[in-house]
Amino acid sequence: MNPTDWLVFTGLTVIILCLLTDSTSARKHECEVCEVFVQKFVDSLSSEEKSSTELIEKQFKKDCEASKGKDHRFCYYVGGLEESATSTVGDVVKPISYHMPVEKICENLSKKDGQICELKYDKKIDFSTIDFKKIRVKELKKILLDWGEDCKGCVEKDEYVKKVKDLIPKYAPNTVDKEL
C-alpha cells in the first residue's frame, strides 16, 4: 500500500470511529428512567429470584408500588401498577430472567411504547448555589412535593423558603453552604 492510500485509509478509519463513538454516547441516556430503574431493580434481585419469572414479576410489581415520580410513571407505562391501562411486564421480566442487558430491555420496550424513552429525570438542585430570592414559589412547592413534605398554611413565598431551608439538613445534608 502506498503512503497516499495509507493516509486516506487511516483518515477514513478515524472518521468512522468518531462517528460511532458519538452515536453510542448519545444513546447512553436515551432511555434514562427505564435504564436506571431496571438496573436498580436487577441489582436488588438475588440469584434465586433472577431464575424465576414469577418471583421477578412479583418483586417488580412490589417495587413499582413503592416508586415515586418518574419511576412511578415508568411503571405505569409498562404495567407494573394496578392502575396501569396495559401490561407489558412480561417484556421486562422474561429478559431479566435470561440476563439480557438493561439497555437492550429498554430498547425493546421503547419499540412497543415510545413514551418509555421520553421519560427523563428532573435536574438535581444544588442547594449550596441556589438563590432563594430568585426562585419561584412553584419550584419551592415542587421541592417540597419531591421530598414528600407539605407546607400547610404557607401563603407567602417567605414561608415556603423557610420551610425548604428548615428541611434541607434532612433531605440534602451534603449542602456545603451553611448560610442557608
Side-chain angles (χ1 to χ4, degrees), residues 105-123:
I105 294 171
C106 293
E107 184 181 318
N108 291 342
L109 285 172
S110 72
K111 289 176 185 174
K112 293 186 180 215
D113 187 354
Q115 293 177 320
I116 289 171
C117 284
E118 291 174 7
L119 290 172
K120 304 283 182 226
Y121 287 114
D122 296 330
K123 294 178 185 172

Side-chain angles (χ1 to χ4, degrees), residues 6-19:
W6 177 252
L7 189 60
V8 170
F9 175 74
T10 307
L12 288 173
T13 305
V14 169
I15 290 171
I16 290 171
L17 287 174
C18 288
L19 290 174

Side-chain angles (χ1 to χ4, degrees), residues 156-172:
E156 299 293 323
K157 177 180 176 178
D158 292 340
E159 296 168 328
Y160 284 101
V161 169
K162 182 181 180 330
K163 181 74 170 182
V164 169
K165 284 182 177 181
D166 290 345
L167 292 170
I168 285 176
K170 181 178 179 183
Y171 293 101

Side-chain angles (χ1 to χ4, degrees), residues 79-90:
L81 301 171
E82 232 177 82
E83 66 265 15
S84 297
T86 60
S87 181
T88 56
V89 174

Side-chain angles (χ1 to χ4, degrees), residues 47-81:
S47 57
E48 178 188 318
E49 288 174 317
K50 286 180 186 177
S51 62
S52 167
T53 55
E54 293 84 23
L55 291 175
I56 294 171
E57 184 172 344
K58 182 179 175 185
Q59 188 61 41
F60 185 78
K61 288 185 176 186
K62 183 178 175 187
D63 285 9
C64 281
E65 290 297 328
S67 67
K68 294 191 295 188
K70 302 292 182 177
D71 291 341
H72 192 76
R73 175 65 59 186
F74 166 73
C75 287
Y76 176 80
Y77 288 158
V78 297
L81 301 171

Side-chain angles (χ1 to χ4, degrees), residues 14 26 36 42 54 78-79 90 93 106 113-114 132 137 157 172 176-177 180:
V14 169
V36 170
V42 169
E54 293 84 23
V78 297
V93 171
C106 293
D113 187 354
F132 284 102
V137 173
K157 177 180 176 178
V176 260
D177 189 6
L180 296 174

